[in-house]
Amino acid sequence: MFQAPSVFQRAPLPPATRESEPGQAQTLTATAPRPAPGTSAAAPAPAAAKRRDPYFDNVKYLAIVLVAVAHAWEPVMDGSRATRALYMVVYMFHMPAFILISGYFSRSFDMTAPKVKRLITSVAVPYLVFETAYSLFKRYADDSPDMAISLVDPFFLTWFLIALFIWRVTTPIWQAIRHPLPVALAIAMLASVSPDIGDDLDLQRVLQFLPFFVLGLLVKPEHFQLVRRREVRLLSLPLFAGALLFAYWAAPRMQLGWFYRANSAQEMGAPWWSGAVMTLAMFGCALVLTVGFLAWVPGRERWFTVLGAGTICGYLLHGFLIKGAEYAGLFDHYTWLSDPVGLVVVSLVAAVAVTLMCAPLVGRALKWATEPDMNWAFRKASARR
């Protein structure tokens, strides 16, 4: 049985002959030759080799680089309006793009035993491991002995794993209802005006980012073909230029909390109704910029394509670099890092570091935590005829 690939895994290439069922793996396969006269046809044909779609590997790698660079800007962007504006533009679309791709690769998820097992080993277990690791890292590296290990209050970037777990479990619901995207948007709007949701499981982010995951469930391969047309690439240039100009104007006026989607409007000191308005506005802006980003991702193999299979390691490890530098007081001691040259240095270091963290060697070394073999914990599936 085919299992839905994680957003962090490499994606298969669409078929040359026909489109597979929604959510099923798409591969290029050769037609099996007919048996020669006098030979038996009972012998099974060799399994067709799967080819990976480099486009989605490229998307995942470039998105994870943007995530790491944006995290590196946070401690040094104060006082720089231009950096804050650039940060706002990147933050507008980099996680929505990642979440949309997550939804796209979750289309085949159901509650069958093999897929539940896959969900636990590739999402739930890494969450438990790295939530504990980040909590202990802060406790000892930042001299915070009171730092508790709380599995219901995600620390820093581990929120995405628990969110992905919740989104994927609810996938059958979104595939069953008639108008899933409007419903998801309504839920996000309600969350943005509900200050009583609290911090457990980072539900504000789970609910406010939900429409992007649901949208990913709805898109089809041909939609990505439309996005990658030359006309879309050309239109995205003035789009990003206009976004940067608007962000430069809005940088000193707009709270960054709207981009994080971790709080309600009331918690940010805004009128309650602004939460619903901003939810729709931010969804529209993020979607347009995501399309512009996807339009420029190369569709052919590049030197970084292979790194798209290791983005889970890049995502989970780069936080130790960023937080470690903060705990060591690096950004406070070297104030020149906030200067233009320093910002370039910080950006390059973050990009190079996350690139190395996505290397296949790192993925193999961390497989025990990111994709453990836990057959001992699950019942054996009964044979099916």
Side-chain angles (χ1 to χ4, degrees):
M1 179 181 294
F2 171 74
Q3 302 199 14
S6 166
V7 65
F8 297 108
Q9 295 179 300
R10 299 189 70 182
L13 190 70
T17 56
R18 63 179 179 87
E19 183 179 344
S20 60
E21 294 299 318
Q24 294 293 315
Q26 296 177 335
T27 58
L28 286 179
T29 58
T31 303
R34 298 190 178 191
T39 61
S40 173
K50 293 182 179 180
R51 291 179 57 189
R52 305 296 183 177
D53 187 340
Y55 174 74
F56 291 107
D57 285 333
N58 294 339
V59 169
K60 288 180 284 185
Y61 167 75
L62 295 175
I64 208 64
V65 169
L66 290 176
V67 169
V69 170
H71 280 155
W73 286 342
E74 290 177 6
V76 296
M77 67 181 181
D78 287 343
S80 174
R81 184 174 178 177
T83 305
R84 185 181 176 93
L86 190 59
Y87 176 88
M88 291 168 64
V89 172
V90 171
Y91 240 90
M92 177 65 76
F93 73 88
H94 74 341
M95 283 310 298
F98 220 78
I99 295 167
L100 187 147
I101 296 298
S102 300
Y104 180 73
F105 286 117
S106 298
R107 295 174 301 161
S108 67
F109 181 82
D110 52 36
M111 297 302 289
T112 56
K115 293 178 183 178
V116 170
K117 173 186 174 183
R118 178 68 176 165
L119 179 65
I120 292 173
T121 56
S122 64
V123 180
V125 170
Y127 171 73
L128 297 175
V129 170
F130 282 89
E131 176 64 23
T132 302
Y134 271 105
S135 299
L136 292 175
F137 185 62
K138 180 172 177 60
R139 179 185 297 180
Y140 295 108
D142 196 30
D143 192 20
S144 303
D146 296 332
M147 179 64 188
I149 299 176
S150 174
L151 300 181
V152 296
D153 186 11
F155 179 73
F156 194 33
L157 48 72
T158 57
W159 72 268
F160 178 73
L161 291 177
I162 196 64
L164 182 60
F165 184 90
I166 296 172
W167 292 331
R168 191 163 285 176
V169 166
T170 62
T171 292
I173 298 176
W174 303 114
Q175 293 179 327
I177 63 178
R178 181 165 294 179
H179 303 294
L181 186 57
V183 172
L185 281 169
I187 292 174
M189 293 167 65
L190 289 173
S192 70
V193 300
S194 303
D196 295 331
I197 288 179
D199 297 327
D200 290 350
L201 301 182
D202 230 344
L203 282 179
Q204 277 287 1
R205 277 177 167 162
V206 173
L207 298 177
Q208 291 194 42
F209 276 118
L210 174 63
F212 298 102
F213 182 83
V214 173
L215 179 61
L217 294 174
L218 300 176
V219 297
K220 298 180 180 179
E222 54 264 31
H223 295 140
F224 289 101
Q225 296 296 330
L226 291 174
V227 164
R228 295 161 60 188
R229 294 176 61 181
R230 183 172 180 271
E231 296 88 341
V232 179
R233 286 197 292 270
L234 293 178
L235 287 173
S236 68
L237 295 177
L239 169 68
F240 274 101
L244 284 170
L245 289 175
F246 179 80
Y248 188 81
W249 171 85
R253 300 174 173 86
M254 187 175 181
Q255 293 189 57
L256 294 178
W258 293 114
F259 298 87
Y260 303 146
R261 296 173 172 84
N263 296 292
S264 64
Q266 296 93 317
E267 290 173 296
M268 292 187 288
W272 70 268
W273 54 264
S274 64
V277 173
M278 288 298 292
T279 296
L280 292 177
M282 297 288 284
F283 177 78
C285 293
L287 181 58
V288 171
L289 290 179
T290 296
V291 169
F293 165 70
L294 294 175
W296 280 97
V297 174
R300 297 181 180 180
E301 288 196 11
R302 298 291 188 267
W303 63 267
F304 53 80
T305 301
V306 68
L307 302 176
T311 49
I312 186 172
C313 295
Y315 181 81
L316 292 172
L317 292 179
H318 84 273
F320 290 107
L321 176 66
I322 305 298
K323 289 298 182 182
E326 288 186 24
Y327 299 157
L330 183 67
F331 300 110
D332 295 328
H333 183 70
Y334 297 102
T335 56
W336 63 271
L337 291 175
S338 298
D339 299 334
V341 174
L343 291 169
V344 173
V345 171
V346 167
S347 302
L348 289 176
V349 170
V352 171
V354 77
T355 296
L356 295 176
M357 293 169 184
C358 292
L361 180 63
V362 177
R364 289 192 292 270
L366 281 182
K367 191 173 182 179
W368 63 271
T370 60
E371 200 175 355
D373 183 0
M374 295 182 60
N375 289 329
W376 56 268
F378 297 92
R379 298 176 180 177
K380 292 183 179 180
S382 58
R384 294 182 180 180
R385 294 185 180 274

